[in-house]
């Protein structure tokens, strides 16, 4: 059974701090990794995706991938109350031509003013 | 740019009734997906269509059927609704494997 695991939280950080969200996956052959944000009562929206080992930065967000250790993380710098949401990690099932994602259950983030 | 459009947004059914959830995307994506999301269960794949003309079961297909009407449209049908199918249903699409999925706003379905 291929799995994606996330700490359910809630993760609570003060405004302006760095929030660190982690995700581990079981499928060693996975090649593509995605972070989504989901506000309560809304649909998931894409924040970032990463394919290669290392860091990928986009504004206040940094995705980090370590395929050898099978984890991917999301850092949110200068956290804002508007970042309070559930963050979903998704991993492309291997082989990729199955065209499916494996989803974690999400980490709830609360940014306190 | 509308993206992924789902209709209806809300629906209440009685046990045993049937209905079809509609999904359309205007991004010329090849692949389309139907998920349900329940508290504590995360996103669970019901059915997907890797390309026009193909459909495949996901992890929770029982009680559902799908139709990939054309490249734009992918519908989900409940033939005989059951209270266990009360959920939020999301449609998503993407261009190809290894690309991000884009979601519609969801359909909130209650079955009494």
């Amino acid at each position: 059974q291929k799995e994606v695991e996330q700490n359910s939280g809630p993760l609570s950080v003060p405004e302006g701090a760095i929030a660190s969200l982690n995700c581990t996956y079981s499928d060693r052959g996975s090649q593509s990794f995605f972070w989504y944000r989901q506000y309560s009562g809304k649909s998931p929206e894409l924040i970032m995706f990463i394919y290669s080992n290392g860091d990928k930065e986009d504004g206040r967000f940094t995705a980090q991938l370590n395929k050898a250790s099978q984890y991917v993380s999301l850092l949110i710098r200068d956290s804002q109350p508007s970042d309070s949401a559930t963050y979903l990690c998704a991993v492309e099932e291997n082989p990729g031509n199955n065209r499916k994602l494996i989803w974690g259950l999400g980490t709830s983030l609360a940014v306190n003013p | 740019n509308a993206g992924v459009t789902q209709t209806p947004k809300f629906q209440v059914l009685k046990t045993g009734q049937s209905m079809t959830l509609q999904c359309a995307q205007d991004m010329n994506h090849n692949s389309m997906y139907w998920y349900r999301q329940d508290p504590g269960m995360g996103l669970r794949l019901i059915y997907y269509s890797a390309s026009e003309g193909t459909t495949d079961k996901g992890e929770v297909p029982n009680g559902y059927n799908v139709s990939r009407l054309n490249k734009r449209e992918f519908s989900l049908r409940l033939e005989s609704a059951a209270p266990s199918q009360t959920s939020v249903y999301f449609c998503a699409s993407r261009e190809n494997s290894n690309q991000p999925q884009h979601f519609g706003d969801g359909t909130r379905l209650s079955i009494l």
Side-chain angles (χ1 to χ4, degrees):
Chain A
Q1 180 76 2
K2 298 173 182 177
E3 296 181 337
V4 172
E5 295 190 355
Q6 299 181 252
N7 189 325
S8 63
L11 173 65
S12 183
V13 300
E15 183 175 355
I18 296 174
S20 177
L21 305 163
N22 299 312
C23 171
T24 59
Y25 60 95
S26 63
D27 189 347
R28 183 169 291 277
S30 293
Q31 298 295 320
S32 305
F33 307 86
F34 307 88
W35 281 101
Y36 286 79
R37 176 176 63 198
Q38 186 174 25
Y39 292 114
S40 180
K42 301 296 185 181
S43 60
E45 58 177 325
L46 179 71
I47 299 176
M48 294 190 69
F49 56 92
I50 186 167
Y51 300 141
S52 303
N53 276 331
D55 294 359
K56 179 181 179 182
E57 186 174 318
D58 183 1
R60 295 186 297 113
F61 299 97
T62 299
Q64 299 175 318
L65 175 61
N66 184 323
K67 291 184 180 179
S69 300
Q70 295 176 241
Y71 82 79
V72 56
S73 62
L74 180 70
L75 301 179
I76 307 175
R77 291 182 299 281
D78 188 23
S79 296
Q80 301 297 309
S82 58
D83 295 325
S84 298
T86 296
Y87 289 80
L88 304 174
C89 173
V91 175
E92 187 87 21
E93 187 177 50
N94 183 52
N97 60 6
N98 281 351
R99 303 176 188 258
K100 292 185 291 184
L101 296 181
I102 308 167
W103 292 85
L105 295 182
T107 298
S108 176
L109 172 66
V111 180
N112 305 308
Chain B
N1 188 353
V4 179
T5 302
Q6 291 184 236
T7 56
K9 296 189 183 306
F10 303 93
Q11 185 71 49
V12 179
L13 294 177
K14 295 181 179 178
T15 297
Q17 288 185 317
S18 62
M19 81 160 294
T20 299
L21 280 61
Q22 306 287 353
C23 176
Q25 53 90 10
D26 62 3
M27 296 174 283
N28 201 36
H29 285 170
N30 290 308
S31 304
M32 298 185 73
Y33 306 81
W34 276 107
Y35 294 93
R36 60 179 290 175
Q37 188 175 40
D38 304 288
M41 301 293 289
L43 283 166
R44 292 186 290 170
L45 184 64
I46 305 171
Y47 271 94
Y48 68 106
S49 172
S51 60
E52 185 179 359
T54 68
T55 60
D56 287 285
K57 295 179 180 179
E59 60 181 300
V60 289
N62 291 343
Y64 305 95
N65 286 300
V66 290
S67 295
R68 183 75 183 265
L69 304 171
N70 48 56
K71 192 172 185 179
R72 290 186 63 249
E73 299 173 286
F74 188 38
S75 63
L76 178 71
R77 183 160 178 84
L78 287 71
E79 290 291 352
S80 179
S84 61
Q85 295 177 304
T86 292
S87 188
V88 180
Y89 291 84
F90 290 108
C91 177
S93 71
R94 65 175 176 175
E95 184 173 359
N96 282 308
S97 286
N98 298 308
Q99 297 296 310
Q101 292 184 7
H102 300 268
F103 285 80
D105 289 339
T107 294
R108 283 144 185 83
L109 181 62
S110 293
I111 299 161
L112 306 178

